[in-house]
Amino acid sequence: MVKLIASLFLLAVVAQAYGDFKSKPKSKSVVRELGNEAAKQRQNPNPNHVEGQDQGCKGSLEVPEITKDWIDMKDGCIKGMRHQIQEEINASYQYLAMAAYFSRDTVNRPGFAEHFFKAAREEREHGSKLVEYLSMRGQLTEGVSDLITVPTVAKQEWTDGASALQDALDLEIKVTKSIRKLIQTCEGKPYNHYHLVDYLTGVYLEEQLHGQRELAGKLTTLKKMLSSHGELGEFLFDKNME
């Protein structure tokens, strides 16, 4: 019991001391010192501070000098890569136009629309991967503003699904030829960029050849269905593309 009373008494003393500390006003000297410091900060701001700029950001630091020997891509191959990036973006926009056309309520071919939306995403991803490759090789330190030009889509309507698939196949053939030309440029003397050539051959060219074969098969099947069933054949074909 005695221990309990002693404990309660000790808690009361501590609470009283804490209350006195909280209620005790700051001395005039401390308040005056804080006020002077604030006024000094207002009158003499940091001369190196730029409004809205994070002083710790990378752009405010001087770029250190390091060796450039690891950046070994040559102008001809770089130019070809930049051209290929634009080709992929152009194809993406054309596929997007196809998808938009078949998404119209007056056309209403959801299977075709989904197929071309997917193709547009794939071409855009191809362009992005090539940009990433250039970055890996240290080639995006300048000239980035003109890397990609927003293309103008020449064709925005099609008479039927077969004509759209034919245009898609022609587009893939064009992109494939462009990749082959890039491979020839980068593997020949004086460039010999074996790593890039292997990447383009094993990834991009492989996918292009499979894509061409798939489109050619779809186009053949659709033309057969159109010849035997007319518009009903295209309707059934569209359902199988979803």
Side-chain angles (χ1 to χ4, degrees), residues 139-171:
Q139 296 299 328
L140 290 182
T141 57
E142 58 184 16
V144 180
S145 59
D146 61 347
L147 180 62
I148 297 175
T149 302
V150 178
T152 301
V153 179
K155 190 173 182 179
Q156 301 182 19
E157 293 186 349
W158 289 263
T159 55
D160 52 29
S163 62
L165 288 179
Q166 181 63 63
D167 285 350
L169 180 57
D170 292 339
L171 184 59

Side-chain angles (χ1 to χ4, degrees), residues 92-124:
S92 176
Y93 269 71
Q94 185 59 72
Y95 278 132
L96 195 61
M98 291 179 175
Y101 171 77
F102 286 101
S103 295
R104 296 180 184 178
D105 64 295
T106 54
V107 180
N108 197 32
R109 290 288 185 264
F112 281 93
E114 179 58 30
H115 173 80
F116 290 129
F117 273 129
K118 180 181 177 181
R121 290 192 297 268
E122 290 177 351
E123 298 299 331
R124 185 171 63 251

Side-chain angles (χ1 to χ4, degrees), residues 50-71:
V50 178
E51 188 67 26
Q53 177 179 344
D54 181 5
Q55 295 302 303
C57 69
K58 184 177 180 181
S60 64
L61 301 178
E62 183 179 354
V63 179
E65 290 291 335
I66 63 173
T67 180
K68 302 294 184 182
D69 293 342
W70 68 279
I71 304 176

Side-chain angles (χ1 to χ4, degrees), residues 24-43:
K24 184 179 180 181
K26 294 183 178 180
S27 64
K28 294 182 179 181
S29 61
V30 174
V31 175
R32 189 183 302 112
E33 183 178 349
L34 292 174
N36 293 338
E37 184 66 23
K40 188 184 297 184
Q41 290 291 333
R42 289 193 298 269
Q43 294 174 1

